[in-house]
Structures are given as C-alpha cells and as structure tokens.
Amino acid sequence: MRYVGLLCLLALMSYQPGPKFPVKLSDYGFFEGNLHEQKPMPGVTPYTLISPLFSDYASKLRFVQLPTGKSVAYNPDSVFQFPVGTRIVKTFYYPIDARKPDAERRLMETRILSHEPTGWVALPYIWNEEQTEAYLEVAGGTSKVEFKDAKGKNQQVNYVVPNVNQCKGCHERDGIMTPIGPSARQMNASLTYSHGTENQLDYWRRTNQMTDVPEGRPTFVAYMDEHAPLNERVKAYLDINCAHCHNPA
C-alpha cells in the first residue's frame, strides 16, 4: 500500500501543466494593485451566486475573464457554456471574525478553471503565509485556519486544497470537466459593481458579455435565507451541493 501511495505522489509531483499556466497567480494579471485586495482588472468581471456550494464555511470571491471579443450565449436550463479561452477564478477565504466580514481575512486558495482547446483544466493556487502571493500547487495541500463565527465562537478548520485530479470529482460530467455554478437561476440577482448595483444578467447583456438575455429569467432563493419557503431552500441546496454528482450523467 505504501508503494502504491508513493507512485500516486510521484505522479502528481511529475505533473507538468506547461509554460502557459503561470506558477504565480499575479502573473495572470487578473487583479490590480495589492493582490490580497482582489480588485479585478478591466476585462475581469466579478460575479456571485444566489446559493453557493458549501465549502467548510469558507467565503468566496468569484470572477470571470472572457477572451477578447467573445461572449456567452444565454440559456435558462444549465450552466452557461463559456467560450474557449475563458478563465473562471474563485478565491476561498475566511474572515478572521465573521461578525466583521469586511475586516481582516485570510485567503486560502485561488482556483482557476481555464477553458483550453482540449477542455477545462483546474489549477489550484495556494496563498503564502504573508498573504502576498498564491502559487500553483498541483498536489494540493492542507492548512489549519482559526476564526470567529457569526456568534463570536472560536472555530478551527483543517482546510483541504484538492489536487488537480480531485477537482474532477465534482467538475466532471460524462467524463468531461465543466463548471458547476454560473447559471441563469444562480446569477439572476443584483451585484454591486464599481459603477453601482445592477442585476448581473442585465450587466452582462449591457456589456456585451452575454447574448439573447430575455426579460423573464428563472431564479433561486438563497438556501441560508430562513425567510424563504423551505421547499425552495431545499431545492436550491440540493441543486448546487448534490446535483453535480447525483444526476443521470
């Protein structure tokens, strides 16, 4: 068993993503200024989901970078089909004190889904202790993080960053890697941009990042919203947390 485990480790260590995938997150040019502040550069669009995937109580910052001159075709039923050259960026972090979500935070990892001509590739970048840079770690990693929850109680999580092969466990359908979250029902909500607050789908349509966006669109409730109908909360929870594995494909 030790021999098999060693072979698996050596296989991961020998994985070479190639020169087109930078070793440092900063080399992509997704963010301006202090990398830790996660301020997107022009051409990098922040987005949010109404009912996000649960990830060990971590919060997330989400961004999409479409290739120049390309757009996404709207559809009401499934995750959007992004053009080749798209990069979906997701940073996982913990507020040091959840009662003060805009105060100090610890960034854990930034995952990139890069749509290559051969398909989607998952790339995990782990943040250093100084919180100044994140580095490509194809073998993943673990790190303990401590924080105060919304009730002020001390919590500790042994945060796990998946390796490049483990990403397929959630993102693979019919043997093909694919994004999970960005869909009409998940993004039909307002988000605060640099110019003000606007519905995300309207913003993508206005900025020519999405075509054929209708006025009537499906939507989810936030499953953490205790004021929403319980049946709708359950459906939203199952859709984002379970359906990417528990489906006919």
Side-chain angles (χ1 to χ4, degrees), residues 211-229:
T211 59
D212 303 320
V213 180
E215 292 302 321
R217 284 102 55 152
T219 191
F220 265 157
V221 301
Y223 63 75
M224 292 293 288
D225 181 3
E226 296 181 358
H227 300 289

Side-chain angles (χ1 to χ4, degrees), residues 79-81 113 120 167 170-173 176-181:
V79 172
F80 295 129
Q81 302 300 304
L113 277 180
W120 289 94
C167 292
C170 288
H171 284 276
E172 194 170 77
R173 181 171 293 188
I176 300 173
M177 283 281 288
T178 183
I180 293 174

Side-chain angles (χ1 to χ4, degrees), residues 1-180:
M1 291 299 292
R2 289 182 179 178
Y3 178 71
V4 173
L6 179 60
L7 287 178
C8 292
L9 178 60
L10 289 173
L12 283 171
M13 291 175 66
S14 65
Y15 175 84
Q16 296 295 326
K20 59 184 175 180
F21 298 131
V23 173
K24 297 188 299 183
L25 178 64
S26 59
D27 289 341
Y28 283 94
F30 293 139
F31 306 107
E32 62 182 14
N34 185 342
L35 193 65
H36 183 268
E37 294 180 359
Q38 299 278 283
K39 293 182 179 179
M41 290 284 287
V44 178
T45 302
Y47 75 97
T48 191
L49 303 180
I50 296 172
S51 280
L53 182 73
F54 174 79
S55 303
D56 283 343
Y57 301 99
S59 298
K60 302 166 194 175
L61 300 169
R62 299 174 177 82
F63 309 89
V64 173
Q65 183 186 57
L66 296 177
T68 303
K70 298 294 184 179
S71 60
V72 182
Y74 173 88
N75 82 79
D77 302 318
S78 64
V79 172
F80 295 129
Q81 302 300 304
F82 294 91
V84 171
T86 298
R87 281 172 172 158
I88 298 177
V89 183
K90 184 164 61 173
T91 295
F92 295 70
Y93 72 94
Y94 288 91
I96 300 303
D97 189 336
R99 297 168 300 178
K100 305 173 183 178
D102 296 326
E104 186 180 358
R105 62 192 180 189
R106 180 180 173 187
L107 308 186
M108 305 303 296
E109 63 163 318
T110 296
R111 292 183 200 171
I112 297 175
L113 277 180
S114 182
H115 197 181
E116 302 298 308
T118 54
W120 289 94
V121 177
L123 301 163
Y125 288 76
I126 298 180
W127 283 81
N128 59 13
E129 289 295 329
E130 296 78 18
Q131 297 281 279
T132 57
E133 183 65 86
Y135 295 90
L136 179 61
E137 295 287 352
V138 297
T142 60
S143 179
K144 288 186 178 180
V145 58
E146 297 180 352
F147 62 95
K148 291 184 182 295
D149 63 20
K151 296 182 179 180
K153 184 178 179 180
N154 291 326
Q155 299 286 353
Q156 185 179 84
V157 172
N158 190 33
Y159 186 84
V160 178
V161 178
N163 65 51
V164 291
N165 289 321
Q166 288 173 321
C167 292
K168 297 177 182 178
C170 288
H171 284 276
E172 194 170 77
R173 181 171 293 188
D174 276 339
I176 300 173
M177 283 281 288
T178 183
I180 293 174

